[in-house]
Amino acid sequence: MIDITLQKSLNSQGGKITLDLSLQIAAGSFNALFGPSGAGKTSTLKMISGLLKPDTGSIQSHGDIWFDSQKKINLAPGKRKIAYVFQDAALFPNMSVLENIKYAAGADPDKAYLENLISSMGLEKLVNHKPDMLSGGQAKRAALARALAQKPELLLLDEPFSALDQSAKIKLQQHLSRLHQDYGFTVILVSHDHAEVMQLAQNAFVIEDGKLLRSGTPAEVFGLESASDEITVMAQIIDHDTESITVMHQGRTYRLTWEASHQPTIGSWINIRLKTSNAQINALNKL
């Protein structure tokens, strides 16, 4: 569990605001900070990471104190077991993709883990490319791989899908979902995109003017609790027979009738529709 209590006076687009938040983040969960620009979302990420010092408050991760204003503890970012992916990929321009990833992995890298990470991100053919040879989507995938190379306990994502076309955005979301399912790291995503939060997050925190307005599942915080509401989500095929497929979405497994003319491929991703009320999403085709 990560316990976060923060207070900070900030200058936002609309003037001065006082950020005052209290959040609890479960280990291994995928969380989204949702709200308009200037709400304090990015500042919250920076304070969690150690890049910005709160005025008062505390941050504890699994019992370790990262920040405590009363005890005068403020660990440097490098000691907080976090990885941070900014809106800009921020790759080292003089290093190849592989060199960027190896640099983040440290002096004694887990080679098998790095190879799987590169393969999972679809970077095999790009490992020798410098950042200026990459498309926006490729650069973001490389930045995510570099962040995860250090095996962080907590991954912080500041609108990582911004400025990407739809195809690149979907591909990056698929890679992120798969890696989160495989490795179980904790994620905090900053977003102002409803669909993005519904697609990826298990928990959502709605922030406006530095205050927490609502928290819960994305369906709860966006008011999509009636049985008639449905969402389209990406799920990974993990098994199939002649008449059905088994897919996984956010750790839940579902068995669906398969009517497509082509043979399903294990490991590939498809879109499925789910009802968004808690009762329905837990019952619909669940194994």
Side-chain angles (χ1 to χ4, degrees), residues 33-277:
L33 304 184
F34 177 86
S37 298
K41 305 185 302 297
T42 294
S43 295
T44 299
L45 280 201
K46 289 182 177 179
M47 283 185 272
I48 294 170
S49 70
L51 296 175
L52 181 65
K53 185 179 178 181
D55 295 335
T56 58
S58 65
I59 304 171
Q60 293 191 37
S61 176
H62 309 290
D64 296 331
I65 300 175
W66 289 359
F67 175 79
D68 192 306
S69 57
Q70 292 187 341
K71 296 180 180 179
K72 301 187 183 304
I73 296 173
N74 186 23
L75 292 188
K79 295 183 178 180
R80 298 195 183 199
K81 300 178 183 178
I82 60 131
Y84 202 137
V85 178
F86 300 87
Q87 292 184 39
D88 183 350
L91 296 167
F92 297 120
N94 60 324
M95 294 184 182
S96 67
V97 168
L98 182 59
E99 288 168 339
N100 267 276
I101 294 171
K102 284 185 173 181
Y103 180 85
D108 187 24
D110 182 337
K111 293 182 180 179
Y113 172 74
L114 294 187
E115 288 176 1
N116 185 60
L117 193 59
I118 289 168
S119 174
S120 296
M121 295 299 294
L123 295 170
E124 303 99 315
K125 296 181 180 180
L126 303 173
V127 289
N128 295 317
H129 286 45
K130 295 287 183 66
D132 61 1
M133 301 171 65
L134 304 176
S135 68
Q138 290 168 344
K140 288 289 181 71
R141 280 189 278 141
L144 182 58
R146 183 182 66 177
L148 293 174
Q150 56 192 288
K151 295 185 176 181
E153 289 182 0
L154 176 61
L155 176 64
L156 304 176
L157 303 172
D158 190 358
E159 301 200 43
F161 312 110
S162 63
L164 296 180
D165 62 40
Q166 190 64 18
S167 175
K169 180 185 295 187
I170 290 173
K171 184 174 290 188
L172 184 58
Q173 289 175 345
Q174 290 174 341
H175 288 305
L176 178 59
S177 293
R178 184 186 302 119
L179 289 166
H180 179 250
Q181 290 173 8
D182 288 347
Y183 295 110
F185 45 83
T186 308
V187 182
I188 302 179
L189 165 74
V190 160
S191 176
H192 59 262
D193 186 319
H194 286 81
E196 194 170 280
V197 175
M198 291 295 298
Q199 177 66 48
L200 295 169
Q202 297 162 317
N203 309 299
F205 301 88
V206 179
I207 300 173
E208 286 189 21
D209 295 327
K211 304 295 188 293
L212 179 63
L213 297 186
R214 296 182 301 281
S215 64
T217 66
E220 289 169 345
V221 299
F222 296 142
L224 301 176
E225 286 299 304
S226 71
S228 62
D229 286 312
E230 294 183 343
I231 56 171
T232 299
V233 300
M234 289 182 295
Q236 189 175 27
I237 299 175
I238 59 175
D239 197 7
H240 68 85
D241 55 33
T242 56
E243 297 180 348
S244 66
I245 60 172
T246 303
V247 299
M248 178 176 288
H249 170 68
Q250 292 187 346
R252 294 187 176 100
T253 53
Y254 303 86
R255 179 173 288 145
L256 308 173
T257 301
W258 183 255
E259 298 178 350
S261 58
H262 62 280
Q263 185 77 358
T265 302
I266 293 176
S268 63
W269 291 72
I270 62 170
N271 288 328
I272 63 173
R273 292 191 67 79
L274 295 177
K275 291 187 180 299
T276 55
S277 69

